[in-house]
Amino acid sequence: MAVVGGKGPWLARMICHNLPVHEYGKFNTSIIEDEDIAADIHLHLQSLGKWIRAEDIVHYVGTPEFQARLKIKKGISVRTAQRWMKRMEYRWKAELKGQYSDGHEREDNVEYRQKKFLPVWKELESVSRWWKEDGTEDGDARERVLAADPNGRVVVIWRHDESIFYGNDRRKIRWIHSSETAKPYAKGEGASLMVGDFVSPDYGWLKGKETNSDGSAIKSARKFLRPGKTRDGYQTTEDIIEQATIAMDILDTDYPDEQHVFAYDNATIHTARAPNALSATGMPVNPHQNYLRKVKDRDRQKERTVRIKNGIFRDGTVQELYYPDCHPKYPGWFKGTRVLIQEWREKGHDLPDVWALKNPGSKFFKINGACKKKCEVGRTNCCYRRILYLEPDFMNQKSLLEEHCEARGYSYHCELNCIEQCWGYAKRVYRMFPTSSLEADLKTNTISALESVPLVSMRRFATCSLRFADSYFHGLSGAEAAWANKKYRGHRTIPPDFRAELDVHFHKNTV
């Protein structure tokens, strides 16, 4: 610079002496641009394990050793620490792992949803309470009910589900460095606790109104189970029915002025039929002396047999499936599917004649008891089992749980369940508790996490499920319903003119 200015060595010495010294905090460059400092912070974060936070950098920069090293007196904010983590290639996201898939768009699921679930859901929705974003009631449900039925009552829908809390279940979303790869992990390691409960946007978790001195409810529908062969075993249909009985007792006592509906998912344990339920599977074609159903006790150790219950003709009369004990040829025997079908024909049912001859003087027209493979699609008389299955009393056979609920005057339905979001909220809180392998801590933390779910959040979750149901009702697919739910999250239902915006959005993302 001195040479360019036409000066000598003296000016060169003066320029070198007066060059500004870099001081952190006084220029636009960031401390984290220094590779040594970034490496030091990165090493510190690695020493803390995988559950790191931006606050950890704030605390580290605030230590006297770090400040003395950089000759600074002030710390940094959390927002600055978050920017530093992004500069060091950390991202706040879920751990890398395999993906799950379900049969949400499967043909049979879509058919059930559109033809059975959604019509019932729309009917229940019209006579239940609606909720705004702030948790207040949207309109007067009682006025809607009286307009539909002067003697009707407001419907309260109780969603039921089970979920498992693991003793070592911790946060899944954290700061993850770009160099970190996916690692296998075992789901459900350590002690676990299964929780089954009912929830409604009207009242929250299902509890009795009477409380203890500490404010906790004396009666609650919540049930705990320690799953495992060496612990409490595994949940059975009998456990589900027992819990439903407790729930109905609470509602009969504390909420008698409303109509209550239990909504379960389609899990096998909820849809299991009674041991003596009507089922064509395995029924013999001809009369059988010892055709009985095998039933195991609660512990699945002892076994007993029961008779299949009677059927119902289309005119409402009872059909005995067993011959009377005084029958001269088959006393107490099971009649067989051929005889049952013939009895239906005599009652006017439009069924094939199992005794018809192929040709005059030939053998009877033969129909197999059951097809060797799956019955051909569209066939109604390919085998005796198919003929039986299509009869109303066989086809509409209810589950054991549904029969139990209806016997007490309660409705039962399978539906889109917003309780899953309540579990998610509770588990997010649960994962913030200190790690402990003690089962006592597991239960205490689980209860605390469940009770932390606010009622206003439950109502928002219920409104979210209403939007999804309305989206499916309009024929949207899963991806389209998710878009509509996010787009119109301030609404209980999607607006009538949603189609134009939806078409624009999906066209824009596919071209």
Side-chain angles (χ1 to χ4, degrees), residues 198-252:
F198 295 85
V199 70
S200 79
D202 303 65
Y203 304 109
W205 303 114
L206 179 49
K207 304 174 183 177
K209 294 183 177 180
E210 191 175 355
T211 60
N212 295 307
S213 57
D214 60 355
S216 61
I218 295 178
K219 292 183 179 180
S220 173
R222 183 176 297 161
K223 299 290 289 185
F224 294 98
L225 178 73
R226 301 180 306 151
K229 290 184 178 180
T230 59
R231 305 172 79 203
D232 296 337
Y234 298 96
Q235 196 171 39
T236 63
T237 302
E238 289 77 10
D239 295 324
I240 295 295
I241 292 177
E242 181 181 336
Q243 184 184 17
T245 302
I246 296 173
M248 290 185 285
D249 290 341
I250 294 174
L251 295 174
D252 286 344

Side-chain angles (χ1 to χ4, degrees), residues 141-196:
R142 185 61 183 163
E143 292 181 0
R144 296 197 307 275
V145 172
L146 292 177
D149 182 3
N151 299 319
R153 295 179 293 173
V154 175
V155 171
V156 179
I157 303 175
W158 294 94
R159 286 88 166 174
H160 177 276
D161 196 17
E162 302 90 15
S163 188
I164 297 181
F165 288 74
Y166 295 99
N168 62 352
D169 192 11
R170 291 293 158 249
R171 291 170 290 170
K172 299 293 188 297
I173 300 178
R174 60 184 178 88
W175 288 105
I176 299 177
H177 193 261
S178 60
S179 63
E180 189 170 337
T181 58
K183 299 177 182 179
Y185 67 95
K187 181 179 180 181
E189 292 179 284
S192 60
L193 185 67
M194 176 177 283
V195 185

Side-chain angles (χ1 to χ4, degrees), residues 30-67:
S30 173
I31 297 177
I32 206 65
E33 297 293 340
D34 189 317
E35 294 183 0
D36 293 334
I37 295 175
D40 186 37
I41 295 176
H42 181 57
L43 185 64
H44 171 69
L45 294 177
Q46 286 182 318
S47 69
L48 300 178
K50 67 178 184 178
W51 302 113
I52 57 177
R53 307 171 301 164
E55 287 86 346
D56 295 327
I57 297 181
V58 175
H59 298 155
Y60 185 62
V61 173
T63 59
E65 297 81 6
F66 192 92
Q67 293 189 350

Side-chain angles (χ1 to χ4, degrees), residues 266-293:
N266 273 318
T268 305
I269 196 172
H270 301 148
T271 58
R273 297 177 177 180
N276 65 339
L278 293 174
S279 174
T281 303
M283 282 187 174
V285 174
N286 299 310
H288 196 284
Q289 183 178 6
N290 299 314
Y291 181 67
L292 301 169
R293 289 278 171 78

